């Protein structure tokens, strides 16, 4: 090699390194500010996650394009990856009998790109998040929680100033996003001994969640904090077993949730939960449960919940139960899987959840407790709220998983093993 080509090559490598650094910083910044962007625009998280994933993808391409594809495909060859692919494949197979294939395709067009972006970010970002990003995330979470509390206390002055819809529920999605990301971000900060910022993230999230009118967000906070505390105290197998039991019951009881609640939920409880529309939720669950009972084997097809009242199975449901099939979704993601994907979808989904718990079981403490707290939080929310294929929900989960995975490389470098009894 000519000597005069060596400086040019070194200069090119320096420029590539600078480009990679800038792209990583841009992706990490987007990931960190996601909770705040959700407060300012409560459907923004899919775009933020998508841009962050593109930044990391470009950075990895510049850094080492030859290992990029193998590193992205490797997780899909694991049992958990294969089960997830099988579940997604069944979603696609159900298009064959969906009465509204165009509607199913629209739902897939919202869900799948965000899922891919979340997967890319969770694969590529951990180990490549600059040190400033967790601190920025803590500030974003704290500020997001404070804005929610102040805006609601001021009769939604921010929404009025921005000329947007004036309704307290506009902060529900941001509060649910805070639920998901606060614990994992706090774990990353705790690992780097930024304990004050970790506390700030948790307190900011709790402020926003508790001040919001979202009963689902508050239930998620309670479930996540409760299982985290139990997982820190209980032996490994007991903590994992408790989470597995909860997830198994969530799937198994989803089709009969409405009937069970109608029998055991006292009127006083409905009065206390009037803001959460508990009576309507029970009636909706009963209606979708009746549809599942009439056709439990294959479901109505992916993404049909928005037009479920028009599906063939809806015609078999008693007329008084049929009206609430038109509400858009069952307000229970587990029940939605049953209604749209039937028994095969429910079994494959359960398999994915149990394999995920197997991965969590291999984590050291406090990572395992934090991961179980995230599982409990997400499952509690999914059991009472929202369309399971919603892009903003998928983006929030993707961000939370990315932060959880980001704690692992930091753990090896900064913390000794601290595990409870096996």
């Amino acid at each position: 090699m000519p000597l005069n080509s060596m400086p040019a090559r070194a200069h090119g490598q320096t420029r590539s390194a600078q480009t990679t650094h800038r792209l990583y910083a841009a992706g990490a910044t987007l990931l960190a500010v996601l909770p705040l962007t959700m407060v300012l625009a409560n459907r923004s998280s899919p775009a933020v996650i998508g841009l962050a994933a593109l930044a990391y993808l470009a950075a990895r391409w510049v850094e080492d394009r030859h290992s990029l594809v193998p590193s992205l495909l490797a997780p899909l060859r694991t049992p958990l990856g294969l089960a997830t692919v099988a579940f997604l494949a069944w979603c696609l197979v159900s298009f064959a009998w969906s009465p509204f294939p165009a509607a199913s395709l629209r739902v897939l067009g919202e869900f799948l790109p965000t899922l891919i972006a979340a997967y890319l970010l969770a694969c590529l970002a951990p180990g490549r998040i600059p040190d400033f990003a967790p601190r920025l995330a803590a500030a974003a979470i704290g500020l997001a929680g404070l804005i929610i509390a102040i805006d609601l206390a001021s009769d939604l002055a921010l929404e009025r100033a921005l000329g947007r819809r004036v309704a307290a529920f506009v902060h529900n999605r941001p509060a649910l996003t805070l639920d998901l990301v606060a614990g994992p971000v706090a774990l990353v900060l705790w690992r780097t001994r930024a304990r004050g910022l970790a506390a700030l993230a948790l307190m900011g999230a709790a402020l926003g969640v508790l001040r919001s009118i979202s009963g689902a967000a508050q239930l998620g906070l309670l479930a996540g904090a409760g299982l985290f505390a139990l997982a820190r105290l209980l032996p490994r197998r007991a903590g994992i077993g408790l989470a597995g039991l909860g997830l198994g019951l969530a799937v198994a009881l989803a089709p009969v949730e409405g009937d069970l609640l109608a029998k055991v939920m006292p009127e006083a409880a409905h009065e206390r939960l009037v803001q959460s529309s508990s009576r309507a939720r029970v009636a909706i669950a009963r209606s979708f449960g009746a549809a599942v009972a009439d056709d439990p084997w294959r479901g109505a097809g992916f993404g049909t919940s928005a037009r479920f009242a028009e599906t063939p199975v809806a015609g078999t449901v008693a007329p008084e139960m049929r009206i609430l099939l038109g509400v858009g979704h069952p307000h229970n993601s587990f029940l939605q899987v049953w209604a749209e994907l039937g028994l095969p979808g429910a079994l494959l989904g359960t398999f994915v959840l149990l394999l995920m718990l197997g991965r969590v079981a291999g984590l050291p403490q406090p990572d395992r407790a934090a991961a179980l707290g995230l599982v409990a939080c997400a499952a509690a929310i999914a059991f009472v709220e929202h369309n399971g294929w919603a892009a903003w929900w998928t983006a929030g989960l993707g961000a939370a998983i990315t932060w959880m995975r980001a704690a692992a490389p930091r753990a090896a470098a900064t913390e000794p093993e601290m595990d409870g009894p096996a």
Side-chain angles (χ1 to χ4, degrees):
M1 179 185 295
L3 291 178
N4 60 2
S5 71
M6 294 180 65
R9 183 177 180 182
H11 179 67
Q13 291 174 338
T14 300
R15 289 189 63 185
S16 294
Q18 290 174 342
T19 300
T20 301
H21 176 75
R22 291 190 185 108
L23 286 168
Y24 282 149
T29 299
L30 288 165
L31 175 64
V33 301
L34 181 142
L36 185 57
T37 66
M38 281 293 285
V39 173
L40 301 176
N42 68 18
R43 294 179 182 269
S44 62
S45 57
V48 173
I49 285 292
L51 292 172
L54 285 175
Y56 269 95
L57 188 63
R60 285 297 303 275
W61 178 263
V62 173
E63 184 181 55
D64 185 6
R65 67 189 66 179
H66 301 294
S67 67
L68 177 58
V69 172
S71 68
L72 292 176
L73 293 179
L76 300 179
R77 299 190 185 101
T78 64
L80 176 57
L82 292 172
T84 303
V85 170
F87 177 82
L88 294 173
W90 181 252
C91 293
L92 295 178
V93 169
S94 73
F95 273 61
W97 55 82
S98 170
F100 313 112
S104 297
L105 190 60
R106 281 197 299 273
V107 174
L108 187 68
E110 176 187 353
F111 170 65
L112 191 58
T114 307
L115 179 65
I116 292 172
Y119 177 77
L120 291 174
L121 196 60
C123 286
L124 300 177
R128 297 172 178 84
I129 295 179
D131 289 340
F132 75 84
R135 291 166 169 76
L136 178 60
I141 291 169
L143 185 56
L146 186 62
I147 291 174
I148 291 173
I150 292 175
D151 196 34
L152 289 170
S154 63
D155 195 25
L156 299 168
L158 176 62
E159 305 307 309
R160 297 177 192 277
L162 295 175
R164 298 193 307 212
R165 188 175 185 180
V166 180
F169 63 75
V170 298
H171 289 306
N172 287 4
R173 289 191 184 97
L176 290 162
T177 302
L178 290 178
D179 252 341
L180 296 173
V181 301
V185 168
L187 176 65
V188 174
L189 291 165
W190 188 86
R191 286 294 194 186
T192 57
R193 302 193 184 282
R195 309 291 166 84
L197 286 173
L200 171 66
L202 294 174
M203 289 188 295
L207 174 64
V209 168
L210 295 175
R211 187 62 186 85
S212 76
I213 65 166
S214 173
Q218 292 160 17
L219 178 63
L221 178 64
L222 179 63
L227 189 55
F228 171 81
L230 287 173
R232 290 290 280 162
L233 298 172
L234 294 173
R236 182 197 307 260
R237 291 178 181 174
I240 295 295
L242 188 61
L245 178 63
L247 290 174
L249 288 175
V251 175
L253 296 180
V256 295
E257 170 204 2
D259 291 334
L260 288 175
L261 290 177
K263 291 178 180 177
V264 305
M265 196 167 179
E267 188 63 25
H270 285 299
E271 292 296 331
R272 287 195 296 270
L273 296 172
V274 64
Q275 266 194 327
S276 299
S277 305
S278 61
R279 291 186 182 87
R281 290 174 185 274
V282 171
I284 291 167
R286 291 187 67 200
S287 294
F288 277 90
V292 171
D294 284 348
D295 182 16
W297 304 113
R298 65 177 191 177
F302 177 85
T304 54
S305 287
R307 299 181 63 180
F308 206 87
E310 304 170 55
T311 60
V313 69
T316 68
V317 177
E320 66 273 12
M321 304 284 282
R322 203 176 301 160
I323 298 172
L324 289 174
L325 293 176
V327 296
H329 57 83
H331 291 75
N332 179 335
S333 296
F334 301 100
L335 180 53
Q336 184 175 359
V337 169
W338 273 102
E340 295 184 5
L341 303 175
L343 180 62
L347 291 176
L348 286 170
T350 303
F351 198 35
V352 170
L353 293 173
L354 294 179
L355 287 171
M356 175 268 297
L357 285 181
R359 294 285 294 274
V360 171
L363 296 175
Q365 288 285 33
D367 300 57
R368 184 171 68 251
L372 289 175
L374 174 59
V375 169
C377 173
I381 293 169
F383 196 77
V384 299
E385 190 67 69
H386 295 296
N387 173 5
W389 318 124
W392 70 267
W393 173 248
T394 305
L397 286 171
I401 292 169
T402 300
W403 284 116
M404 273 299 314
R405 297 192 72 243
R410 298 169 186 268
T414 61
E415 284 292 328
E417 172 69 13
M418 294 190 302
D419 206 350

